[in-house]
Amino acid sequence: MRSKNWSTGPKSNQVLRGEKKIIIKRKDCVINSTQRVTTCLSAPLAPARWVRGAVVTAAGLSAMAAGGVEERGGLEAAVRGGLRILRERWMQGTRESSGTAAFTGPPHPSLPEDAEEVSALQALPIDVQLNIMSFLSPQDLCHLGSTSCYWRATVQDPLLWRYFLLRDLPFWTSVDWKSLPDVEIFNKTFSEDSDNALYDYMAVYKKSCPRSRRSLKSSRPRYGAVTSFLQSLVTQPEPRFAMFGPGLEELDNSLVQKMMTCPEILLVAGLPQRQIHGIGSGVSFQFNNNQKFNILTLYSTTSVERRRAREEQAVAVNKMFYQENSIVGNQQAMHYSVIAQVKKVCEVVDGFIYVANAEAHKKHDRQEELARILAMIDPALGPPNRPLLVLSCVSHIDVKRIPCVYMAHQLQLNLLHQPWMVQDTVAATLAGLIIGIEWLLEEVNCKNAQ
């Protein structure tokens, strides 16, 4: 008997007797318990530069891609010590609070006056308990917490959830403007967790985990289907998106070419007649629910110059923007504006697709990328709050990538004032593209409905 939500409920004797089944069921789904926990931003932040009024940190955010390493041993030792003290108190049946000596954070729920019957799982050595819990998903941990008061107190340990957050975060494939973990979570050194002002890591995990976001979305009332049906009765122009970014030109596999030649994933619906001087009409695609949308692909320069730059392993001059430098206080501000033809595109599109190069072995100037994103989404060029989809793209599946959460912080998307989403994408297979397009269309449809 498991609850469908992630809360840890009261003791259930029926589930308590099934403790072992939870563990046995998970034996074939093992997460390497010896892997190291990687975090980012372990180095102090460098002096900031100003980009159009927003503070942009340099070395600190670029260190995310390098994956500054925090040894798992310290965090795991703290979790193990907390579990050991909790069990000792539980065995003694005391009502002591574990907030001062047992755990370095908010106190756990008060322990009962009389210790409950000790189960076989609970009697295992602490090292074995922690090893077992490392094999469980966070959802299964919450289910384990519903089996008894002891396990409920155990799985509410904030350090345990920090461990899971830092372990799983690099493997998440998407993050958005509502779920991005605060950068201070990565900045905090382990010793800083000795105070009582810990983050609620369990809440952070639940908010940020893509699986929990999908389950929350599926549990909402299905008014969207009715709205979509009513909108289908009214003839509306297909939404248009401007697609740009270094990932269109720097990768070994062409994302655009794959989109044009993979009808089983994305069907080309034709070339519309709405022309933009110097740009063209873009390409119309048909989504799996028969909704059509148009993508205007904007390259930095001509195909000849892009090809020459690739052959010479040089960076092509981006002719979509022109730079305007200014001084803000004592800092140099990097400011870009778009050329006239691109400006016309920005005035008519319903959203933006930024293709970022997420390959970890290449150098990236994320501050310059942010400045160009800000130039494209400038509210002066069109309606406000138009959504931005960032495709964090690599050439093929075997290339080591920068995790999407790190990408969001490197691009400092938390500074933006419109909806955005970062989605891991593979150019060779289009993996992840449809998820991103679906989110973009939902945001546009929601905005139109309002």
PDB file of all heavy atoms in Angstrom, residues 101-125:
ATOM      1  N   ALA A 101      22.679  17.621  18.363  1.00  0.00           N
ATOM      2  CA  ALA A 101      23.844  16.754  18.275  1.00  0.00           C
ATOM      3  C   ALA A 101      23.773  15.811  17.097  1.00  0.00           C
ATOM      4  O   ALA A 101      24.774  15.494  16.489  1.00  0.00           O
ATOM      5  CB  ALA A 101      23.994  15.948  19.565  1.00  0.00           C
ATOM      6  N   ALA A 102      22.539  15.355  16.773  1.00  0.00           N
ATOM      7  CA  ALA A 102      22.452  14.310  15.766  1.00  0.00           C
ATOM      8  C   ALA A 102      22.577  14.862  14.361  1.00  0.00           C
ATOM      9  O   ALA A 102      23.251  14.304  13.529  1.00  0.00           O
ATOM     10  CB  ALA A 102      21.123  13.569  15.911  1.00  0.00           C
ATOM     11  N   PHE A 103      21.904  15.995  14.106  1.00  0.00           N
ATOM     12  CA  PHE A 103      21.873  16.488  12.750  1.00  0.00           C
ATOM     13  C   PHE A 103      22.281  17.951  12.727  1.00  0.00           C
ATOM     14  O   PHE A 103      22.043  18.692  13.658  1.00  0.00           O
ATOM     15  CB  PHE A 103      20.453  16.368  12.151  1.00  0.00           C
ATOM     16  CG  PHE A 103      20.008  14.952  12.015  1.00  0.00           C
ATOM     17  CD1 PHE A 103      19.209  14.380  12.986  1.00  0.00           C
ATOM     18  CD2 PHE A 103      20.393  14.191  10.931  1.00  0.00           C
ATOM     19  CE1 PHE A 103      18.793  13.077  12.868  1.00  0.00           C
ATOM     20  CE2 PHE A 103      19.978  12.896  10.809  1.00  0.00           C
ATOM     21  CZ  PHE A 103      19.177  12.339  11.781  1.00  0.00           C
ATOM     22  N   THR A 104      22.864  18.346  11.625  1.00  0.00           N
ATOM     23  CA  THR A 104      23.274  19.729  11.467  1.00  0.00           C
ATOM     24  C   THR A 104      22.206  20.469  10.705  1.00  0.00           C
ATOM     25  O   THR A 104      22.386  20.862   9.568  1.00  0.00           O
ATOM     26  CB  THR A 104      24.603  19.784  10.702  1.00  0.00           C
ATOM     27  OG1 THR A 104      24.405  19.109   9.460  1.00  0.00           O
ATOM     28  CG2 THR A 104      25.723  19.131  11.488  1.00  0.00           C
ATOM     29  N   GLY A 105      21.048  20.635  11.280  1.00  0.00           N
ATOM     30  CA  GLY A 105      19.972  21.315  10.594  1.00  0.00           C
ATOM     31  C   GLY A 105      18.704  21.275  11.423  1.00  0.00           C
ATOM     32  O   GLY A 105      18.736  21.038  12.624  1.00  0.00           O
ATOM     33  N   PRO A 106      17.550  21.497  10.765  1.00  0.00           N
ATOM     34  CA  PRO A 106      16.281  21.504  11.461  1.00  0.00           C
ATOM     35  C   PRO A 106      16.040  20.186  12.165  1.00  0.00           C
ATOM     36  O   PRO A 106      16.387  19.116  11.649  1.00  0.00           O
ATOM     37  CB  PRO A 106      15.270  21.706  10.319  1.00  0.00           C
ATOM     38  CG  PRO A 106      16.074  22.312   9.218  1.00  0.00           C
ATOM     39  CD  PRO A 106      17.437  21.746   9.342  1.00  0.00           C
ATOM     40  N   PRO A 107      15.474  20.197  13.368  1.00  0.00           N
ATOM     41  CA  PRO A 107      15.274  18.953  14.113  1.00  0.00           C
ATOM     42  C   PRO A 107      14.266  18.056  13.431  1.00  0.00           C
ATOM     43  O   PRO A 107      13.367  18.509  12.756  1.00  0.00           O
ATOM     44  CB  PRO A 107      14.731  19.445  15.465  1.00  0.00           C
ATOM     45  CG  PRO A 107      14.148  20.784  15.174  1.00  0.00           C
ATOM     46  CD  PRO A 107      14.979  21.383  14.082  1.00  0.00           C
ATOM     47  N   HIS A 108      14.471  16.777  13.607  1.00  0.00           N
ATOM     48  CA  HIS A 108      13.512  15.807  13.108  1.00  0.00           C
ATOM     49  C   HIS A 108      12.280  15.809  14.000  1.00  0.00           C
ATOM     50  O   HIS A 108      12.289  16.342  15.110  1.00  0.00           O
ATOM     51  CB  HIS A 108      14.123  14.403  13.114  1.00  0.00           C
ATOM     52  CG  HIS A 108      15.147  14.226  12.023  1.00  0.00           C
ATOM     53  ND1 HIS A 108      14.799  14.088  10.711  1.00  0.00           N
ATOM     54  CD2 HIS A 108      16.499  14.191  12.084  1.00  0.00           C
ATOM     55  CE1 HIS A 108      15.895  13.944   9.975  1.00  0.00           C
ATOM     56  NE2 HIS A 108      16.931  14.017  10.798  1.00  0.00           N
ATOM     57  N   PRO A 109      11.196  15.161  13.556  1.00  0.00           N
ATOM     58  CA  PRO A 109      10.019  15.046  14.415  1.00  0.00           C
ATOM     59  C   PRO A 109      10.378  14.363  15.730  1.00  0.00           C
ATOM     60  O   PRO A 109      11.252  13.505  15.792  1.00  0.00           O
ATOM     61  CB  PRO A 109       9.069  14.185  13.564  1.00  0.00           C
ATOM     62  CG  PRO A 109       9.527  14.380  12.157  1.00  0.00           C
ATOM     63  CD  PRO A 109      11.009  14.577  12.237  1.00  0.00           C
ATOM     64  N   SER A 110       9.680  14.761  16.777  1.00  0.00           N
ATOM     65  CA  SER A 110       9.950  14.192  18.098  1.00  0.00           C
ATOM     66  C   SER A 110       9.777  12.687  18.074  1.00  0.00           C
ATOM     67  O   SER A 110       8.878  12.155  17.419  1.00  0.00           O
ATOM     68  CB  SER A 110       8.994  14.804  19.131  1.00  0.00           C
ATOM     69  OG  SER A 110       9.200  16.193  19.213  1.00  0.00           O
ATOM     70  N   LEU A 111      10.649  12.002  18.784  1.00  0.00           N
ATOM     71  CA  LEU A 111      10.577  10.551  18.832  1.00  0.00           C
ATOM     72  C   LEU A 111       9.548  10.120  19.876  1.00  0.00           C
ATOM     73  O   LEU A 111       9.313  10.812  20.856  1.00  0.00           O
ATOM     74  CB  LEU A 111      11.952   9.982  19.182  1.00  0.00           C
ATOM     75  CG  LEU A 111      13.090  10.440  18.260  1.00  0.00           C
ATOM     76  CD1 LEU A 111      14.379   9.769  18.674  1.00  0.00           C
ATOM     77  CD2 LEU A 111      12.768  10.159  16.814  1.00  0.00           C
ATOM     78  N   PRO A 112       8.925   8.974  19.675  1.00  0.00           N
ATOM     79  CA  PRO A 112       7.891   8.532  20.598  1.00  0.00           C
ATOM     80  C   PRO A 112       8.489   8.135  21.944  1.00  0.00           C
ATOM     81  O   PRO A 112       9.666   7.857  22.068  1.00  0.00           O
ATOM     82  CB  PRO A 112       7.274   7.322  19.889  1.00  0.00           C
ATOM     83  CG  PRO A 112       8.360   6.817  19.011  1.00  0.00           C
ATOM     84  CD  PRO A 112       9.141   8.024  18.578  1.00  0.00           C
ATOM     85  N   GLU A 113       7.610   8.114  22.949  1.00  0.00           N
ATOM     86  CA  GLU A 113       8.054   7.796  24.309  1.00  0.00           C
ATOM     87  C   GLU A 113       8.561   6.370  24.385  1.00  0.00           C
ATOM     88  O   GLU A 113       9.573   6.068  24.997  1.00  0.00           O
ATOM     89  CB  GLU A 113       6.884   7.990  25.280  1.00  0.00           C
ATOM     90  CG  GLU A 113       7.280   8.753  26.517  1.00  0.00           C
ATOM     91  CD  GLU A 113       6.056   9.164  27.300  1.00  0.00           C
ATOM     92  OE1 GLU A 113       4.985   8.570  27.108  1.00  0.00           O
ATOM     93  OE2 GLU A 113       6.162  10.087  28.096  1.00  0.00           O
ATOM     94  N   ASP A 114       7.867   5.465  23.746  1.00  0.00           N
ATOM     95  CA  ASP A 114       8.251   4.050  23.754  1.00  0.00           C
ATOM     96  C   ASP A 114       8.741   3.671  22.368  1.00  0.00           C
ATOM     97  O   ASP A 114       8.075   3.939  21.372  1.00  0.00           O
ATOM     98  CB  ASP A 114       7.058   3.164  24.136  1.00  0.00           C
ATOM     99  CG  ASP A 114       6.559   3.508  25.539  1.00  0.00           C
ATOM    100  OD1 ASP A 114       7.407   3.798  26.398  1.00  0.00           O
ATOM    101  OD2 ASP A 114       5.327   3.504  25.730  1.00  0.00           O
ATOM    102  N   ALA A 115       9.900   3.072  22.327  1.00  0.00           N
ATOM    103  CA  ALA A 115      10.440   2.651  21.040  1.00  0.00           C
ATOM    104  C   ALA A 115       9.546   1.571  20.452  1.00  0.00           C
ATOM    105  O   ALA A 115       9.111   0.664  21.154  1.00  0.00           O
ATOM    106  CB  ALA A 115      11.854   2.124  21.225  1.00  0.00           C
ATOM    107  N   GLU A 116       9.284   1.669  19.142  1.00  0.00           N
ATOM    108  CA  GLU A 116       8.456   0.656  18.499  1.00  0.00           C
ATOM    109  C   GLU A 116       9.277  -0.597  18.259  1.00  0.00           C
ATOM    110  O   GLU A 116      10.497  -0.620  18.410  1.00  0.00           O
ATOM    111  CB  GLU A 116       7.916   1.201  17.177  1.00  0.00           C
ATOM    112  CG  GLU A 116       9.020   1.559  16.211  1.00  0.00           C
ATOM    113  CD  GLU A 116       8.484   2.200  14.941  1.00  0.00           C
ATOM    114  OE1 GLU A 116       7.309   2.603  14.942  1.00  0.00           O
ATOM    115  OE2 GLU A 116       9.249   2.296  13.984  1.00  0.00           O
ATOM    116  N   GLU A 117       8.613  -1.617  17.864  1.00  0.00           N
ATOM    117  CA  GLU A 117       9.291  -2.892  17.599  1.00  0.00           C
ATOM    118  C   GLU A 117      10.301  -2.714  16.466  1.00  0.00           C
ATOM    119  O   GLU A 117      10.001  -2.130  15.424  1.00  0.00           O
ATOM    120  CB  GLU A 117       8.253  -3.948  17.219  1.00  0.00           C
ATOM    121  CG  GLU A 117       8.859  -5.328  16.986  1.00  0.00           C
ATOM    122  CD  GLU A 117       7.790  -6.326  16.607  1.00  0.00           C
ATOM    123  OE1 GLU A 117       6.591  -5.963  16.706  1.00  0.00           O
ATOM    124  OE2 GLU A 117       8.151  -7.448  16.219  1.00  0.00           O
ATOM    125  N   VAL A 118      11.492  -3.214  16.675  1.00  0.00           N
ATOM    126  CA  VAL A 118      12.560  -3.047  15.701  1.00  0.00           C
ATOM    127  C   VAL A 118      12.414  -4.078  14.593  1.00  0.00           C
ATOM    128  O   VAL A 118      12.352  -5.284  14.866  1.00  0.00           O
ATOM    129  CB  VAL A 118      13.947  -3.187  16.378  1.00  0.00           C
ATOM    130  CG1 VAL A 118      15.062  -3.051  15.335  1.00  0.00           C
ATOM    131  CG2 VAL A 118      14.101  -2.130  17.461  1.00  0.00           C
ATOM    132  N   SER A 119      12.358  -3.625  13.347  1.00  0.00           N
ATOM    133  CA  SER A 119      12.243  -4.542  12.225  1.00  0.00           C
ATOM    134  C   SER A 119      13.622  -5.038  11.833  1.00  0.00           C
ATOM    135  O   SER A 119      14.654  -4.520  12.255  1.00  0.00           O
ATOM    136  CB  SER A 119      11.588  -3.841  11.030  1.00  0.00           C
ATOM    137  OG  SER A 119      12.429  -2.800  10.564  1.00  0.00           O
ATOM    138  N   ALA A 120      13.631  -6.055  10.974  1.00  0.00           N
ATOM    139  CA  ALA A 120      14.904  -6.614  10.525  1.00  0.00           C
ATOM    140  C   ALA A 120      15.719  -5.587   9.748  1.00  0.00           C
ATOM    141  O   ALA A 120      16.934  -5.480   9.908  1.00  0.00           O
ATOM    142  CB  ALA A 120      14.643  -7.852   9.664  1.00  0.00           C
ATOM    143  N   LEU A 121      15.047  -4.797   8.928  1.00  0.00           N
ATOM    144  CA  LEU A 121      15.739  -3.771   8.165  1.00  0.00           C
ATOM    145  C   LEU A 121      16.303  -2.689   9.071  1.00  0.00           C
ATOM    146  O   LEU A 121      17.427  -2.214   8.901  1.00  0.00           O
ATOM    147  CB  LEU A 121      14.779  -3.158   7.138  1.00  0.00           C
ATOM    148  CG  LEU A 121      15.333  -2.031   6.263  1.00  0.00           C
ATOM    149  CD1 LEU A 121      16.536  -2.505   5.449  1.00  0.00           C
ATOM    150  CD2 LEU A 121      14.242  -1.500   5.341  1.00  0.00           C
ATOM    151  N   GLN A 122      15.528  -2.315  10.066  1.00  0.00           N
ATOM    152  CA  GLN A 122      15.956  -1.273  10.991  1.00  0.00           C
ATOM    153  C   GLN A 122      17.143  -1.722  11.842  1.00  0.00           C
ATOM    154  O   GLN A 122      17.963  -0.905  12.264  1.00  0.00           O
ATOM    155  CB  GLN A 122      14.779  -0.904  11.897  1.00  0.00           C
ATOM    156  CG  GLN A 122      15.012   0.289  12.802  1.00  0.00           C
ATOM    157  CD  GLN A 122      13.763   0.633  13.580  1.00  0.00           C
ATOM    158  OE1 GLN A 122      12.652   0.480  13.089  1.00  0.00           O
ATOM    159  NE2 GLN A 122      13.943   1.079  14.801  1.00  0.00           N
ATOM    160  N   ALA A 123      17.276  -3.024  12.080  1.00  0.00           N
ATOM    161  CA  ALA A 123      18.344  -3.550  12.918  1.00  0.00           C
ATOM    162  C   ALA A 123      19.659  -3.720  12.167  1.00  0.00           C
ATOM    163  O   ALA A 123      20.690  -4.015  12.772  1.00  0.00           O
ATOM    164  CB  ALA A 123      17.920  -4.891  13.514  1.00  0.00           C
ATOM    165  N   LEU A 124      19.639  -3.532  10.851  1.00  0.00           N
ATOM    166  CA  LEU A 124      20.868  -3.667  10.079  1.00  0.00           C
ATOM    167  C   LEU A 124      21.865  -2.585  10.470  1.00  0.00           C
ATOM    168  O   LEU A 124      21.475  -1.504  10.938  1.00  0.00           O
ATOM    169  CB  LEU A 124      20.559  -3.559   8.584  1.00  0.00           C
ATOM    170  CG  LEU A 124      19.782  -4.719   7.942  1.00  0.00           C
ATOM    171  CD1 LEU A 124      19.409  -4.384   6.511  1.00  0.00           C
ATOM    172  CD2 LEU A 124      20.593  -6.007   8.004  1.00  0.00           C
ATOM    173  N   PRO A 125      23.158  -2.816  10.277  1.00  0.00           N
ATOM    174  CA  PRO A 125      24.146  -1.766  10.541  1.00  0.00           C
ATOM    175  C   PRO A 125      23.853  -0.513   9.728  1.00  0.00           C
ATOM    176  O   PRO A 125      23.301  -0.593   8.620  1.00  0.00           O
ATOM    177  CB  PRO A 125      25.468  -2.424  10.104  1.00  0.00           C
ATOM    178  CG  PRO A 125      25.218  -3.895  10.211  1.00  0.00           C
ATOM    179  CD  PRO A 125      23.780  -4.092   9.885  1.00  0.00           C
TER     180      PRO A 125
END
